[in-house]
Amino acid sequence: MSYNYAKHDIMEKVLLQKADSGFKDEIAQKIGIEEIKPCYTCGSCTGVCPVRKVIDDFDPRRIIHMIVLGMRDEVLSSDLIWFCCLCNSCYFVCPQGIRFSRIARELQKLSLDEGYVDENFLKKLEPVNKYLQDLCRRTMFKKVNEGFRGTHTMPCWRKYTVKNG
């Protein structure tokens, strides 16, 4: 049995015999939630992600979907898991309260621990990391600035910027 997963115009075939059915539970346990399955791939995370605006292939929703499908090798060998800038924009709009930044960190740790990447890869990533950290800072400054000027659409900022009563 297989499952076809569409990415742009390319169809990828997921062989269910090779799927790691415990992968989603392992990641959920590592990040301290009961399960990742509550993600219903609404795309809110992808819509607000600043990284997605500069890297078209970066899609938190797709990575979570791949985890749920048990695509361990594909996820842990992907360069994309290293591009999350940890701004948590996704968390504040997720109707299920999933914090993708924590998922990304755990995937990175597993990728290192299981030998999917090495120190040479991490050295090549250093210039990208500096850019991503700058992107994260600019994103957070923008949100703070917007929050101080009025009601912000993100609940985390609204509770600190809107006077009660």
Side-chain angles (χ1 to χ4, degrees):
M1 179 183 269
S2 65
Y3 175 83
N4 284 327
Y5 190 91
K7 179 190 173 219
H8 303 291
D9 294 329
I10 301 169
M11 294 298 286
E12 293 181 37
K13 195 172 214 179
V14 178
L15 297 176
L16 296 182
Q17 303 93 302
K18 293 185 177 184
D20 180 348
S21 62
F23 188 42
K24 63 184 175 296
D25 298 324
E26 177 184 353
I27 298 299
Q29 180 185 17
K30 288 180 181 291
I31 63 170
I33 63 174
E34 188 174 320
E35 58 184 356
I36 290 179
K37 289 183 283 187
C39 173
Y40 48 80
T41 63
C42 67
S44 295
C45 55
T46 303
V48 299
C49 180
V51 175
R52 173 63 182 225
K53 290 174 176 55
V54 294
I55 302 173
D56 289 339
D57 287 341
F58 187 78
D59 187 343
R61 168 184 52 185
R62 182 170 190 262
I63 294 170
I64 290 173
H65 193 197
M66 291 172 71
I67 292 168
V68 171
L69 289 173
M71 299 174 67
R72 180 185 204 97
D73 290 339
E74 293 84 354
V75 171
L76 296 180
S77 64
S78 173
D79 294 351
L80 295 176
I81 64 172
W82 298 90
F83 295 150
C84 177
C85 73
L86 310 175
C87 69
N88 285 315
S89 295
C90 52
Y91 172 67
F92 300 118
V93 297
C94 178
Q96 299 298 82
I98 296 172
R99 191 180 302 242
F100 184 78
S101 63
R102 293 182 67 201
I103 293 172
R105 280 288 184 217
E106 287 305 322
L107 293 173
Q108 292 168 1
K109 288 178 193 175
L110 276 174
S111 182
L112 273 170
D113 292 347
E114 295 181 15
Y116 286 92
V117 298
D118 59 17
E119 294 300 319
N120 289 332
F121 173 81
L122 296 180
K123 286 180 183 176
K124 290 178 187 175
L125 202 60
E126 285 177 12
V128 175
N129 281 336
K130 290 176 186 175
Y131 175 78
L132 291 174
Q133 292 311 308
D134 183 56
L135 180 63
C136 183
R137 277 192 296 279
R138 284 186 285 125
T139 300
M140 295 314 292
F141 287 143
K142 181 180 176 189
K143 288 179 183 176
V144 168
N145 191 29
E146 289 172 357
F148 287 138
R149 291 189 181 161
T151 304
H152 196 275
T153 58
M154 304 274 199
C156 64
W157 297 111
R158 189 178 308 124
K159 70 181 178 183
Y160 297 113
T161 61
V162 176
K163 293 181 182 179
N164 294 330

